[in-house]
Amino acid sequence: MKIKCPFCDAVHHIPDALLPKGRKIAFQCKKCGERVQADPGDAKMSVPSCDVSEGKPSLSEKESSTRAKHDNAIVQTLKSKIRMSLMGFIPPVAHVITRAQAVMADPDAGMKDLAQVIETDPGITARALKVANSAYYGLSGKVTSITHASVLLGNKILGEIITMAGIRGFLGETLKGYGLESGILWRHSLAVAMGSRLIAEKRRAGLAEDAFVGGLIHDAGMIMLDSHLFERKEEFQAIIEDGSHSFLEGERMALGIDHSEVGAEMFREWGLPYSIVKPIASHHSPSSSGGELGYIIHMADILARKSGYGLGLDDRFYEMDNKAVEVLGSEKEELKMIGDEIGVCVERVSKEVLDEPL
Protein backbone atom coordinates (compact mmCIF):
# COMPACT_ATOMS: atom_id res chain seq x y z
CA MET A 1 0.00 0.00 0.00
CA LYS A 2 1.15 3.53 -0.74
CA ILE A 3 0.08 6.31 1.63
CA LYS A 4 0.22 10.01 0.82
CA CYS A 5 1.33 12.45 3.53
CA PRO A 6 -1.45 15.06 3.97
CA PHE A 7 1.12 17.72 4.90
CA CYS A 8 3.53 17.58 1.96
CA ASP A 9 2.02 15.02 -0.46
CA ALA A 10 5.06 12.72 -0.18
CA VAL A 11 4.16 9.12 -0.95
CA HIS A 12 5.28 6.31 1.37
CA HIS A 13 5.25 2.66 0.40
CA ILE A 14 4.35 0.24 3.20
CA PRO A 15 4.30 -3.48 2.33
CA ASP A 16 0.80 -4.94 2.68
CA ALA A 17 2.21 -7.73 4.89
CA LEU A 18 3.16 -5.11 7.47
CA LEU A 19 -0.24 -3.43 7.67
CA PRO A 20 -2.08 -4.28 10.91
CA LYS A 21 -5.52 -5.73 10.25
CA GLY A 22 -8.39 -3.50 11.33
CA ARG A 23 -6.08 -0.95 12.97
CA LYS A 24 -4.75 2.49 12.12
CA ILE A 25 -1.06 3.04 11.57
CA ALA A 26 1.20 5.98 12.44
CA PHE A 27 4.64 6.93 11.15
CA GLN A 28 6.87 9.96 10.63
CA CYS A 29 7.03 11.42 7.13
CA LYS A 30 10.63 11.29 5.97
CA LYS A 31 10.18 14.41 3.82
CA CYS A 32 8.48 16.94 6.13
CA GLY A 33 8.93 15.22 9.51
CA GLU A 34 5.23 15.40 10.41
CA ARG A 35 3.54 12.42 12.07
CA VAL A 36 1.13 10.74 9.67
CA GLN A 37 -1.80 8.70 10.94
CA ALA A 38 -3.73 6.62 8.49
CA ASP A 39 -6.41 4.00 8.22
CA PRO A 40 -5.34 1.38 5.64
CA GLY A 41 -9.01 1.13 4.66
CA ASP A 42 -9.36 4.86 3.97
CA ALA A 43 -9.14 5.41 0.24
CA LYS A 44 -8.44 9.13 0.74
CA MET A 45 -5.10 8.40 2.38
CA SER A 46 -3.93 5.82 -0.13
CA VAL A 47 -2.75 6.03 -3.70
CA PRO A 48 -2.96 3.30 -6.34
CA SER A 49 -0.58 0.44 -5.78
CA CYS A 50 1.69 1.32 -8.66
CA ASP A 51 4.90 3.14 -9.44
CA VAL A 52 3.91 6.82 -9.02
CA SER A 53 6.78 8.21 -11.06
CA GLU A 54 6.15 6.05 -14.10
CA GLY A 55 2.39 5.50 -13.81
CA LYS A 56 2.61 1.74 -14.13
CA PRO A 57 -0.59 -0.21 -13.46
CA SER A 58 -1.23 -2.11 -10.21
CA LEU A 59 0.23 -5.57 -9.84
CA SER A 60 -2.05 -8.39 -10.83
CA GLU A 61 -2.84 -11.15 -8.34
CA LYS A 62 -0.39 -13.46 -10.12
CA GLU A 63 2.34 -10.80 -10.10
CA SER A 64 1.70 -10.11 -6.38
CA SER A 65 2.07 -13.81 -5.62
CA THR A 66 5.32 -13.94 -7.60
CA ARG A 67 6.65 -10.88 -5.71
CA ALA A 68 5.74 -12.47 -2.35
CA LYS A 69 7.68 -15.61 -3.28
CA HIS A 70 10.59 -13.45 -4.45
CA ASP A 71 10.60 -11.49 -1.17
CA ASN A 72 10.56 -14.72 0.82
CA ALA A 73 13.49 -16.02 -1.21
CA ILE A 74 15.39 -12.80 -0.46
CA VAL A 75 14.73 -13.20 3.27
CA GLN A 76 15.89 -16.82 3.23
CA THR A 77 19.05 -15.86 1.32
CA LEU A 78 19.72 -13.04 3.76
CA LYS A 79 19.16 -15.36 6.72
CA SER A 80 21.73 -17.80 5.31
CA LYS A 81 24.14 -14.92 4.67
CA ILE A 82 23.88 -13.80 8.30
CA ARG A 83 24.51 -17.33 9.54
CA MET A 84 27.51 -17.69 7.23
CA SER A 85 28.97 -14.42 8.53
CA LEU A 86 28.90 -15.86 12.04
CA MET A 87 31.12 -18.78 11.11
CA GLY A 88 34.65 -17.95 12.12
CA PHE A 89 33.66 -14.57 13.56
CA ILE A 90 35.67 -14.71 16.76
CA PRO A 91 37.15 -11.35 17.81
CA PRO A 92 40.30 -11.39 19.97
CA VAL A 93 38.32 -10.51 23.09
CA ALA A 94 36.31 -13.73 22.72
CA HIS A 95 39.40 -15.90 23.18
CA VAL A 96 40.29 -14.20 26.44
CA ILE A 97 36.75 -14.29 27.83
CA THR A 98 36.24 -17.93 26.83
CA ARG A 99 39.56 -19.03 28.34
CA ALA A 100 38.85 -17.02 31.48
CA GLN A 101 35.48 -18.75 31.83
CA ALA A 102 37.18 -22.14 31.49
CA VAL A 103 39.73 -21.26 34.18
CA MET A 104 37.03 -20.07 36.57
CA ALA A 105 35.09 -23.30 36.00
CA ASP A 106 38.16 -25.39 36.88
CA PRO A 107 38.22 -26.11 40.64
CA ASP A 108 41.94 -26.84 40.47
CA ALA A 109 42.85 -23.51 38.85
CA GLY A 110 44.60 -20.90 40.96
CA MET A 111 44.63 -17.11 40.87
CA LYS A 112 47.80 -16.96 38.79
CA ASP A 113 46.16 -19.11 36.09
CA LEU A 114 43.47 -16.51 35.46
CA ALA A 115 45.97 -13.65 35.58
CA GLN A 116 48.10 -15.36 32.92
CA VAL A 117 45.10 -15.64 30.59
CA ILE A 118 44.21 -11.96 30.94
CA GLU A 119 47.77 -10.75 30.50
CA THR A 120 47.94 -12.24 26.99
CA ASP A 121 45.87 -9.24 25.84
CA PRO A 122 47.47 -5.87 26.72
CA GLY A 123 44.28 -3.96 25.86
CA ILE A 124 42.09 -5.98 28.21
CA THR A 125 44.80 -5.86 30.86
CA ALA A 126 44.79 -2.04 30.78
CA ARG A 127 41.00 -1.88 30.88
CA ALA A 128 40.75 -4.46 33.65
CA LEU A 129 43.25 -2.56 35.82
CA LYS A 130 41.32 0.67 35.23
CA VAL A 131 38.04 -0.95 36.30
CA ALA A 132 39.66 -2.75 39.24
CA ASN A 133 40.97 0.58 40.50
CA SER A 134 37.56 2.25 40.24
CA ALA A 135 35.61 3.47 43.23
CA TYR A 136 33.02 0.77 42.57
CA TYR A 137 35.38 -1.95 43.82
CA GLY A 138 36.79 0.20 46.60
CA LEU A 139 40.43 -0.27 45.55
CA SER A 140 41.21 3.14 44.06
CA GLY A 141 44.91 3.25 43.15
CA LYS A 142 45.77 0.05 45.01
CA VAL A 143 45.86 -2.48 42.14
CA THR A 144 49.16 -2.54 40.28
CA SER A 145 48.90 -5.79 38.28
CA ILE A 146 46.40 -8.46 37.26
CA THR A 147 48.00 -10.91 39.70
CA HIS A 148 47.67 -8.30 42.44
CA ALA A 149 44.00 -7.81 41.47
CA SER A 150 43.35 -11.55 41.71
CA VAL A 151 44.77 -11.59 45.24
CA LEU A 152 42.77 -8.57 46.40
CA LEU A 153 39.51 -9.36 44.62
CA GLY A 154 39.51 -13.09 44.00
CA ASN A 155 38.96 -14.96 40.75
CA LYS A 156 35.18 -14.46 40.61
CA ILE A 157 35.29 -10.68 40.79
CA LEU A 158 38.31 -10.55 38.52
CA GLY A 159 36.45 -12.69 35.98
CA GLU A 160 33.56 -10.24 36.12
CA ILE A 161 35.94 -7.32 35.56
CA ILE A 162 37.67 -8.79 32.53
CA THR A 163 34.35 -9.76 30.93
CA MET A 164 33.03 -6.24 31.49
CA ALA A 165 36.23 -4.56 30.30
CA GLY A 166 36.65 -6.86 27.32
CA ILE A 167 33.12 -6.61 25.98
CA ARG A 168 32.82 -2.82 26.44
CA GLY A 169 34.16 -1.91 23.00
CA PHE A 170 32.13 -4.61 21.29
CA LEU A 171 28.82 -3.39 22.75
CA GLY A 172 29.56 0.32 22.74
CA GLU A 173 29.12 1.01 19.03
CA THR A 174 26.48 3.18 17.36
CA LEU A 175 23.78 0.96 15.86
CA LYS A 176 22.63 2.77 12.72
CA GLY A 177 20.27 0.02 11.63
CA TYR A 178 18.36 0.21 14.91
CA GLY A 179 18.80 3.97 15.27
CA LEU A 180 20.60 3.64 18.63
CA GLU A 181 23.34 6.03 19.66
CA SER A 182 26.72 4.88 20.95
CA GLY A 183 26.58 3.57 24.52
CA ILE A 184 22.84 2.82 24.70
CA LEU A 185 23.20 -0.94 24.13
CA TRP A 186 26.22 -1.06 26.45
CA ARG A 187 24.41 0.70 29.30
CA HIS A 188 21.37 -1.60 28.91
CA SER A 189 23.63 -4.67 28.83
CA LEU A 190 25.47 -3.51 31.95
CA ALA A 191 22.14 -2.97 33.75
CA VAL A 192 20.92 -6.46 32.82
CA ALA A 193 24.24 -7.97 33.95
CA MET A 194 24.02 -6.21 37.31
CA GLY A 195 20.37 -7.17 37.68
CA SER A 196 21.01 -10.79 36.74
CA ARG A 197 23.72 -11.07 39.35
CA LEU A 198 21.54 -9.44 42.03
CA ILE A 199 18.64 -11.80 41.32
CA ALA A 200 20.91 -14.84 41.27
CA GLU A 201 22.60 -13.86 44.54
CA LYS A 202 19.18 -13.59 46.19
CA ARG A 203 17.62 -16.70 44.65
CA ARG A 204 20.17 -18.97 42.97
CA ALA A 205 23.60 -18.02 44.34
CA GLY A 206 25.39 -20.76 42.39
CA LEU A 207 24.38 -19.09 39.12
CA ALA A 208 25.66 -15.60 40.00
CA GLU A 209 28.77 -15.63 37.76
CA ASP A 210 27.01 -17.14 34.75
CA ALA A 211 24.10 -14.74 35.31
CA PHE A 212 26.40 -11.73 35.12
CA VAL A 213 28.09 -12.93 31.91
CA GLY A 214 24.79 -13.97 30.31
CA GLY A 215 23.16 -10.66 31.21
CA LEU A 216 26.08 -8.68 29.82
CA ILE A 217 26.02 -10.34 26.40
CA HIS A 218 22.32 -11.25 26.06
CA ASP A 219 21.66 -8.66 23.31
CA ALA A 220 25.03 -8.88 21.53
CA GLY A 221 23.35 -10.46 18.51
CA MET A 222 22.09 -6.97 17.67
CA ILE A 223 25.68 -6.06 16.76
CA MET A 224 25.69 -8.74 14.07
CA LEU A 225 22.27 -7.78 12.69
CA ASP A 226 22.79 -4.03 12.64
CA SER A 227 24.53 -3.75 9.26
CA HIS A 228 21.92 -5.99 7.64
CA LEU A 229 19.10 -3.90 9.10
CA PHE A 230 20.83 -0.75 7.88
CA GLU A 231 20.76 -2.17 4.35
CA ARG A 232 16.99 -2.65 4.76
CA LYS A 233 16.52 0.44 6.90
CA GLU A 234 13.47 1.79 5.09
CA GLU A 235 11.64 -1.52 5.44
CA PHE A 236 12.69 -1.96 9.07
CA GLN A 237 11.65 1.60 9.99
CA ALA A 238 8.27 1.08 8.34
CA ILE A 239 7.76 -1.97 10.55
CA ILE A 240 8.82 -0.21 13.76
CA GLU A 241 7.16 3.14 13.10
CA ASP A 242 3.69 1.66 12.70
CA GLY A 243 3.72 1.53 16.51
CA SER A 244 2.79 -2.11 16.97
CA HIS A 245 6.05 -4.02 16.55
CA SER A 246 9.12 -4.46 18.75
CA PHE A 247 12.71 -4.64 17.50
CA LEU A 248 12.49 -8.42 17.95
CA GLU A 249 9.44 -8.68 15.66
CA GLY A 250 10.92 -6.21 13.22
CA GLU A 251 14.10 -8.28 12.94
CA ARG A 252 12.14 -11.40 12.13
CA MET A 253 9.97 -9.63 9.57
CA ALA A 254 12.85 -7.86 7.82
CA LEU A 255 15.58 -10.48 8.09
CA GLY A 256 13.90 -13.76 8.98
CA ILE A 257 16.00 -14.11 12.12
CA ASP A 258 16.26 -12.24 15.45
CA HIS A 259 19.09 -11.07 17.71
CA SER A 260 18.58 -13.73 20.41
CA GLU A 261 18.97 -16.50 17.84
CA VAL A 262 21.99 -14.84 16.20
CA GLY A 263 23.58 -14.15 19.58
CA ALA A 264 23.29 -17.78 20.63
CA GLU A 265 24.84 -18.97 17.37
CA MET A 266 27.64 -16.43 17.67
CA PHE A 267 28.51 -17.52 21.21
CA ARG A 268 28.51 -21.16 20.17
CA GLU A 269 31.15 -20.16 17.62
CA TRP A 270 33.06 -18.44 20.42
CA GLY A 271 33.02 -21.65 22.43
CA LEU A 272 31.01 -20.40 25.39
CA PRO A 273 29.29 -23.16 27.39
CA TYR A 274 25.78 -24.29 26.48
CA SER A 275 24.65 -23.35 29.99
CA ILE A 276 25.07 -19.68 29.00
CA VAL A 277 24.25 -19.93 25.29
CA LYS A 278 20.78 -21.47 25.72
CA PRO A 279 19.46 -18.83 28.16
CA ILE A 280 20.65 -16.11 25.77
CA ALA A 281 18.68 -17.74 22.95
CA SER A 282 15.51 -17.77 25.06
CA HIS A 283 15.78 -14.61 27.15
CA HIS A 284 12.64 -13.18 25.52
CA SER A 285 10.75 -16.46 26.02
CA PRO A 286 12.38 -18.17 29.03
CA SER A 287 9.74 -20.88 29.23
CA SER A 288 11.21 -22.38 26.03
CA SER A 289 13.83 -24.43 27.90
CA GLY A 290 15.81 -21.42 29.09
CA GLY A 291 16.00 -22.93 32.56
CA GLU A 292 16.49 -20.90 35.72
CA LEU A 293 19.26 -18.80 34.19
CA GLY A 294 16.94 -17.93 31.30
CA TYR A 295 14.32 -16.69 33.75
CA ILE A 296 16.94 -14.70 35.68
CA ILE A 297 18.21 -12.89 32.55
CA HIS A 298 14.64 -12.34 31.35
CA MET A 299 13.59 -10.86 34.69
CA ALA A 300 16.68 -8.62 34.82
CA ASP A 301 16.02 -7.47 31.24
CA ILE A 302 12.49 -6.34 32.12
CA LEU A 303 13.57 -4.71 35.40
CA ALA A 304 16.41 -2.85 33.64
CA ARG A 305 13.97 -1.50 31.05
CA LYS A 306 11.50 -0.40 33.74
CA SER A 307 14.35 1.27 35.66
CA GLY A 308 15.24 3.49 32.71
CA TYR A 309 18.06 1.40 31.25
CA GLY A 310 16.32 0.12 28.15
CA LEU A 311 16.56 0.72 24.42
CA GLY A 312 13.95 3.45 24.01
CA LEU A 313 10.59 2.98 22.32
CA ASP A 314 11.21 -0.75 22.07
CA ASP A 315 10.83 -1.13 25.85
CA ARG A 316 7.05 -0.81 25.94
CA PHE A 317 6.53 -4.07 24.08
CA TYR A 318 8.01 -6.32 26.76
CA GLU A 319 6.34 -7.64 29.89
CA MET A 320 7.66 -10.05 32.47
CA ASP A 321 6.75 -13.70 31.96
CA ASN A 322 4.43 -14.63 34.84
CA LYS A 323 6.25 -17.92 35.23
CA ALA A 324 9.51 -16.07 35.95
CA VAL A 325 8.07 -14.81 39.25
CA GLU A 326 6.76 -18.29 40.00
CA VAL A 327 10.06 -20.04 39.24
CA LEU A 328 12.26 -17.54 41.08
CA GLY A 329 9.80 -16.83 43.88
CA SER A 330 10.26 -13.06 43.82
CA GLU A 331 7.67 -10.76 45.37
CA LYS A 332 6.57 -7.40 43.94
CA GLU A 333 8.36 -5.36 46.61
CA GLU A 334 11.56 -7.36 46.15
CA LEU A 335 11.45 -6.75 42.40
CA LYS A 336 11.12 -3.02 43.01
CA MET A 337 14.13 -3.12 45.34
CA ILE A 338 16.18 -5.00 42.74
CA GLY A 339 15.18 -2.43 40.12
CA ASP A 340 16.38 0.36 42.40
CA GLU A 341 19.64 -1.50 43.07
CA ILE A 342 20.24 -1.89 39.35
CA GLY A 343 20.16 1.88 38.98
CA VAL A 344 22.58 2.42 41.85
CA CYS A 345 25.04 -0.21 40.56
CA VAL A 346 25.02 1.06 36.98
CA GLU A 347 25.54 4.66 37.99
CA ARG A 348 28.40 3.74 40.32
CA VAL A 349 30.30 1.75 37.72
CA SER A 350 29.35 3.53 34.49
CA LYS A 351 31.63 6.54 35.01
CA GLU A 352 34.71 4.31 35.11
CA VAL A 353 33.57 1.94 32.38
CA LEU A 354 31.32 3.97 30.09
CA ASP A 355 31.81 7.72 30.26
CA GLU A 356 35.59 7.80 30.34
CA PRO A 357 37.67 6.35 27.47
CA LEU A 358 39.07 2.90 28.18
Side-chain angles (χ1 to χ4, degrees):
M1 180 179 184
K2 291 185 178 180
I3 297 177
K4 183 184 294 184
C5 173
F7 302 98
C8 69
D9 291 332
V11 175
H12 302 269
H13 175 264
I14 300 179
D16 290 344
L18 306 182
L19 294 173
K21 295 181 179 179
R23 292 162 56 188
K24 293 182 179 181
I25 63 173
F27 59 92
Q28 185 177 29
C29 177
K30 290 180 172 59
K31 182 177 180 181
C32 68
E34 292 291 340
R35 185 167 180 78
V36 179
Q37 292 184 317
D39 184 343
D42 186 353
K44 294 180 181 179
M45 291 294 295
S46 64
V47 296
S49 180
C50 62
D51 190 306
V52 176
S53 63
E54 297 181 13
K56 294 180 181 177
S58 302
L59 293 174
S60 67
E61 186 175 326
K62 182 177 180 181
E63 288 172 324
S64 296
S65 175
T66 300
R67 173 174 285 185
K69 290 179 181 178
H70 177 64
D71 289 344
N72 183 59
I74 291 175
V75 167
Q76 292 303 316
T77 300
L78 183 57
K79 189 174 181 179
S80 298
K81 180 181 176 182
I82 293 170
R83 284 206 163 103
M84 286 294 292
S85 69
L86 291 174
M87 296 178 65
F89 174 73
I90 306 180
V93 64
H95 293 290
V96 177
I97 292 173
T98 303
R99 289 169 61 193
Q101 289 290 310
V103 170
M104 288 186 291
D106 183 356
D108 297 323
M111 293 180 180
K112 289 185 177 181
D113 295 315
L114 183 58
Q116 288 173 353
V117 169
I118 302 170
E119 288 168 348
T120 61
D121 188 308
I124 290 183
T125 297
R127 293 185 182 99
L129 287 175
K130 184 177 186 297
V131 177
N133 277 304
S134 70
Y136 181 75
Y137 290 101
L139 298 175
S140 301
K142 296 180 180 178
V143 182
T144 57
S145 68
I146 294 299
T147 301
H148 190 200
S150 68
V151 173
L152 294 175
L153 298 170
N155 269 2
K156 290 181 179 180
I157 298 299
L158 184 58
E160 173 184 304
I161 289 174
I162 65 149
T163 303
M164 189 163 43
I167 211 74
R168 164 68 179 94
F170 186 65
L171 294 179
E173 302 174 4
T174 298
L175 300 183
K176 294 182 179 179
Y178 290 94
L180 297 178
E181 295 180 1
S182 174
I184 291 179
L185 177 60
W186 162 249
R187 192 180 289 272
H188 170 66
S189 300
L190 182 60
V192 176
M194 296 290 188
S196 296
R197 187 183 59 193
L198 287 168
I199 295 167
E201 286 175 344
K202 292 176 184 296
R203 295 296 173 185
R204 303 290 187 273
L207 293 175
E209 285 75 42
D210 283 354
F212 181 87
V213 174
L216 193 63
I217 62 178
H218 76 290
D219 275 344
M222 293 175 69
I223 302 294
M224 295 302 297
L225 292 186
D226 185 63
S227 61
H228 298 286
L229 285 177
F230 188 68
E231 290 176 0
R232 300 170 74 92
K233 191 171 180 64
E234 185 174 340
E235 179 183 343
F236 182 65
Q237 284 186 334
I239 296 170
I240 300 303
E241 289 175 1
D242 77 354
S244 61
H245 296 291
S246 65
F247 282 163
L248 189 75
E249 294 167 330
E251 291 164 355
R252 291 171 180 163
M253 295 168 73
L255 304 177
I257 196 169
D258 64 63
H259 68 272
S260 57
E261 187 178 353
V262 167
E265 292 193 25
M266 177 170 66
F267 295 128
R268 274 195 290 268
E269 283 289 315
W270 287 23
L272 288 180
Y274 182 79
S275 60
I276 294 179
V277 170
K278 181 58 180 176
I280 288 172
S282 59
H283 72 270
H284 284 296
S285 53
S287 56
S288 59
S289 303
E292 290 184 330
L293 185 54
Y295 282 110
I296 289 172
I297 295 173
H298 168 76
M299 181 178 282
D301 185 24
I302 301 300
L303 292 177
R305 291 172 186 271
K306 292 184 180 299
S307 299
Y309 297 97
L311 299 175
L313 294 176
D314 184 53
D315 299 334
R316 63 195 173 96
F317 292 99
Y318 304 102
E319 294 294 335
M320 193 174 298
D321 188 316
N322 290 330
K323 197 173 179 182
V325 176
E326 179 186 327
V327 170
L328 299 173
S330 299
E331 300 293 335
K332 187 175 181 179
E333 283 302 313
E334 184 180 30
L335 293 179
K336 184 181 183 305
M337 289 176 60
I338 293 172
D340 292 341
E341 286 186 71
I342 288 174
V344 172
C345 289
V346 172
E347 290 308 311
R348 284 181 62 196
V349 76
S350 63
K351 185 175 182 180
E352 286 82 9
V353 182
L354 176 63
D355 297 330
E356 297 178 3
L358 292 173

